[in-house]
Amino acid sequence: MPQQPDHALIHKPASLRPDPNLADYVQTAARFNWDDAAKLLDGLPGGAGLNIAYEAVDRHLAHGRGDRIALRWLGKSGARRELSYADLAQASNRFANALHDLGVQPGEGVFLLLGRLPELYVALLGALKARCVVTPLFSAFGPEPIATRAEMGDARVLVTTPELYQRKVQGLRQRLSGLRQVIVVGEAPAGDASLHGWDALLAAASPDYTIAPTDPESVSLLHFTSGTTGKPKGAMHVHAAVLAHAVTGRYALDLHDDDVYWCTADPGWVTGTSYGVIAPLVCGVSNVVVEAEFDAQSWYRVLAEERVTVWYTAPTAIRMMMKLGAEALQGFELSALRFMASVGEPLNPEAVLWGQQAFGLPFHDNWWQTETGGIMIANYAAMDIKPGSMGKPLPGITAAIVQRDSSGLRLIDTPDTDGELALKTPWPSMMRGYLHEDERYRKCFVDGWYLTGDLARRDADGYYWFVGRADDVIKSSGHLIGPFEVESALLEHPAVAEAGVIGIPDPMAGEVVKAFVALKPGFAPDEALRSELLGHARKRLGAAVAPKQIEFRNNLPKTRSGKIMRRLLKARELGLPEGDLSTLESDEK
Ligand code: AMP
């Protein structure tokens, strides 16, 4: 947890462009209103509404910028592919037409289970053009998280690779009865008539497409996120959210249309969609997409060779780079790089300062979550940075530190006081609901404020500092993991009677998942069973979600109503005072 340290302020970095989009925070925040900001967008021709894909792609053609590079894709085996905005418009048109040809209707669910491949970008934009509801899934998920989400979100179409299909989806087809079309990139393997090959499907589809009138309030993206209890939550976002992406791309990431931008997040998570696809394209930049997983040397090579100017990454990766030391950067020519930002987990002050030392630039931390749809609190290019702080609310956003009590909310005005981070509603990218869970959605709001479930404090200068989560969800390598989902997978194993899952601190990943397990009679708590359970969880959930550690216990602490007390498990694990934890249940945001 970043403390408010005595680190010196970092004054506006020397490399600041002469024309930052947000030159004066105080003035802009005072004057900002979302109606004026809407001028950043065009809307569909003829006043036919607002469609994210039109703003991200087609609009640039209308403004004579079709030749600019939209995507620069670097494949893991050295392949390289560039798509101009005009190419991307045509390819996404083809995909939209292909969906029509397959009988897919507006509002139906199109799920994407792909690594960072060009097809993901084309399918996402094409499905938005066709007014389908798009859900990108993390390709490292195991079959269980895929099935849960596809069932909940009523997946009608899935786009995936032949390999992911065979490993993770084929065995689920019976269960996913609503899934009528599966499209695999490249060619469909011979002998399976239920699969469509991407190449043939798109070749047969027309490259011309007119987006039908789109209600800005119609659902565009369904992003699953984890809560403390129950199934994952399906946060529903609408086409109108694109305004927040246009504004935050400019203000929080300082994107200008001559930038070469790289967001390292996977589009299977909300950052990789909002800021790895939508915001950069809306801002008209050249968007670098790297298929391979993290490796410091190859990342530095990408920064140098692609002449990346704006880089959006995450604390786990920064910590891994820090471990290798600034020497690893030697020999890379990084003079193009001018703005570095980070999101997803607490960014410790040391990491911000290491940026200064290694790159000559600080990392600009910013904060948001799946539900908010876009960046809400940030360190802006022209603002002084207090290392360890998440920065200040976006112009157009009112944030507060609050305390819930029986009569509603109490706003805490005293600086440096811990409370829950709350945001005044509404704003364009705010989720419009949790799929099929109205009550859970309603519980997020009190007196016109959205309660984030994060604990934070604000200092006397208006900077926000992250303190921790108010609930039991786990952040591991930037991925939000619901303990219930992990516990449920463990409970499927015949040896497991009870399971309690918590996050424990880890120097690299922030937190790692640890499970406490009580066994059924007749099972011995030995190493063989531990490995079997670890393997079982990894197979069901995928490596990114599965526990890294399992500890056997005779029984687990429970409340009177029988709920496993994760906080007590955690307090004992970390040697923290148990205080009145025994009376606490897990609060669900
Ligand atoms: P997700 O919905 O998966 O994007 O996760 C959102 C959660 O990640 C937030 O509620 C925070 O708990 C955490 N988070 C995001 N950004 C930051 C940040 N800059 N500092 C600390 N925690 C963060």
Side-chain angles (χ1 to χ4, degrees):
M1 166 179 96
Q3 292 299 325
Q4 229 158 294
D6 292 329
H7 291 299
L9 275 185
I10 299 178
H11 288 290
K12 297 162 195 171
S15 58
L16 185 69
R17 276 178 82 116
D19 56 345
N21 290 316
L22 185 52
D24 185 324
Y25 175 78
V26 176
Q27 255 190 33
T28 309
R31 285 199 203 130
F32 184 92
N33 76 67
W34 288 104
D35 290 339
D36 287 347
K39 294 187 191 109
L40 289 170
L41 305 175
D42 282 10
L44 286 171
L50 186 66
N51 187 295
I52 294 175
Y54 183 84
E55 301 302 323
V57 185
D58 299 9
R59 181 171 60 108
H60 299 298
L61 278 59
H63 290 274
R65 295 194 299 260
D67 290 344
R68 271 191 62 80
I69 297 302
L71 286 184
R72 199 185 283 174
W73 177 76
L74 311 176
K76 57 181 165 206
S77 46
R80 187 186 170 91
R81 218 176 124 189
E82 289 192 341
L83 276 89
S84 67
Y85 278 91
D87 297 334
L88 194 54
Q90 279 210 353
S92 52
N93 284 349
R94 283 185 193 275
F95 189 76
N97 280 318
L99 290 177
H100 284 275
D101 297 345
L102 294 173
V104 181
Q105 300 296 317
E108 290 191 312
V110 175
F111 276 55
L112 311 175
L113 179 71
L114 291 159
R116 291 177 294 274
L117 295 177
E119 286 83 354
L120 182 144
Y121 299 79
V122 170
L124 192 145
L125 293 160
L128 291 175
K129 286 184 172 180
R131 298 174 300 151
C132 291
V133 177
V134 184
T135 301
L137 291 176
F138 189 39
S139 58
F141 275 158
E144 193 51 44
I146 293 171
T148 310
R149 287 157 179 78
E151 273 176 330
M152 284 179 72
D154 214 358
R156 161 83 158 82
V157 177
L158 174 74
V159 186
T160 186
T161 64
E163 195 245 338
L164 286 170
Y165 177 75
Q166 198 250 323
R167 271 182 36 222
K168 303 189 180 187
V169 184
Q170 198 161 25
L172 302 171
R173 283 304 286 270
Q174 290 269 341
R175 185 168 157 191
L176 302 178
S177 52
L179 180 62
R180 270 172 282 160
Q181 316 286 352
V182 176
I183 302 168
V184 292
V185 299
E187 288 170 23
D192 190 343
S194 75
L195 301 182
H196 301 278
W198 172 280
D199 292 350
L201 196 68
L202 265 76
S206 161
D208 301 316
Y209 186 83
T210 304
I211 301 175
T214 308
D215 179 351
E217 285 299 311
S218 57
V219 179
S220 53
L221 286 142
L222 173 67
H223 282 296
F224 285 93
T225 182
S226 294
T228 304
T229 56
K231 288 188 173 173
K233 304 177 274 191
M236 295 187 284
H237 290 282
V238 295
H239 282 272
V242 69
L243 179 56
H245 299 132
V247 169
T248 51
R250 284 175 176 79
Y251 285 174
L253 301 174
D254 198 36
L255 294 177
H256 292 66
D257 65 8
D258 55 0
D259 274 315
V260 177
Y261 166 81
W262 181 26
C263 168
T264 61
D266 190 276
W269 300 94
V270 74
T271 301
T273 304
S274 293
Y275 294 96
V277 189
I278 299 168
L281 297 178
V282 169
C283 293
V285 307
S286 294
N287 194 22
V288 174
V289 175
V290 177
E291 187 191 8
E293 295 308 324
F294 173 82
D295 166 72
Q297 289 288 307
S298 7
W299 275 28
Y300 297 152
R301 196 167 317 118
V302 170
L303 290 172
E305 289 178 1
E306 305 307 324
R307 312 246 347 120
V308 171
T309 56
V310 178
W311 186 31
Y312 195 22
T313 188
T316 296
I318 298 171
R319 285 191 289 267
M320 298 207 277
M321 291 184 273
M322 283 171 78
K323 197 171 158 202
L324 293 177
E327 310 78 69
L329 273 152
Q330 268 168 21
F332 293 102
E333 211 283 286
L334 299 175
S335 60
L337 194 60
R338 67 172 182 85
F339 189 80
M340 310 197 300
S342 163
V343 73
E345 328 155 47
L347 184 68
N348 19 353
E350 295 70 26
V352 178
L353 298 169
W354 182 76
Q356 286 274 79
Q357 182 205 333
F359 295 89
L361 302 168
F363 284 102
H364 294 74
D365 190 18
N366 58 54
W367 178 97
W368 61 291
Q369 55 181 199
T370 305
E371 286 86 344
T372 71
I375 298 170
M376 296 282 109
I377 296 181
N379 287 285
Y380 307 95
M383 197 172 91
D384 295 339
I385 295 176
K386 293 192 186 189
S389 159
M390 314 190 283
K392 294 190 177 186
L394 182 79
I397 295 296
T398 306
I401 302 296
V402 305
Q403 188 86 52
R404 305 188 201 204
D405 59 32
S406 50
S407 61
L409 276 197
R410 195 167 56 81
L411 300 197
I412 302 177
D413 290 326
T414 320
D416 304 322
T417 312
D418 292 2
E420 188 167 356
L421 177 62
L423 303 166
K424 185 111 193 118
T425 60
W427 63 91
S429 62
M430 179 63 209
M431 66 164 166
R432 298 300 196 268
Y434 286 133
L435 186 71
H436 310 316
E437 291 192 283
D438 290 346
E439 183 53 26
R440 208 175 186 182
Y441 174 68
R442 265 197 301 276
K443 275 168 70 181
C444 297
F445 303 90
V446 180
D447 301 343
W449 292 85
Y450 166 69
L451 296 163
T452 65
D454 277 5
L455 302 175
R457 69 174 82 105
R458 185 186 53 234
D459 69 17
D461 299 323
Y463 283 77
Y464 282 74
W465 300 76
F466 182 78
V467 172
R469 288 287 306 191
D471 58 17
D472 291 342
V473 293
I474 301 162
K475 256 280 156 126
S476 186
S477 299
H479 305 143
L480 202 67
I481 297 171
F484 181 81
E485 207 167 6
V486 182
E487 289 160 0
S488 304
L490 286 168
L491 286 167
E492 281 172 16
H493 191 280
V496 176
E498 292 173 349
V501 166
I502 61 167
I504 56 167
D506 178 82
M508 279 300 138
E511 286 186 305
V512 291
V513 179
K514 173 161 185 174
F516 294 86
V517 166
L519 297 174
K520 287 184 185 157
F523 289 93
D526 55 21
E527 275 317 305
L529 185 55
R530 195 196 316 276
S531 329
E532 188 179 320
L533 289 177
L534 286 167
H536 161 85
R538 196 163 310 150
K539 199 160 151 237
R540 303 291 291 154
L541 298 166
V545 182
K548 298 277 183 291
Q549 296 179 28
I550 291 184
E551 188 175 317
F552 293 117
R553 288 281 172 89
N554 289 334
N555 48 53
L556 301 181
K558 288 187 276 307
T559 59
R560 237 173 271 144
S561 61
K563 225 165 142 186
I564 308 261
M565 296 169 70
R566 301 187 189 112
R567 289 181 198 183
L568 197 59
L569 283 170
K570 188 159 181 165
R572 288 180 183 161
E573 172 75 13
L574 304 182
L576 300 172
E578 292 174 15
D580 61 355
L581 279 170
S582 53
T583 59
L584 275 178
E585 300 251 349
S586 309
D587 311 322
E588 177 62 15
K589 185 182 91 201

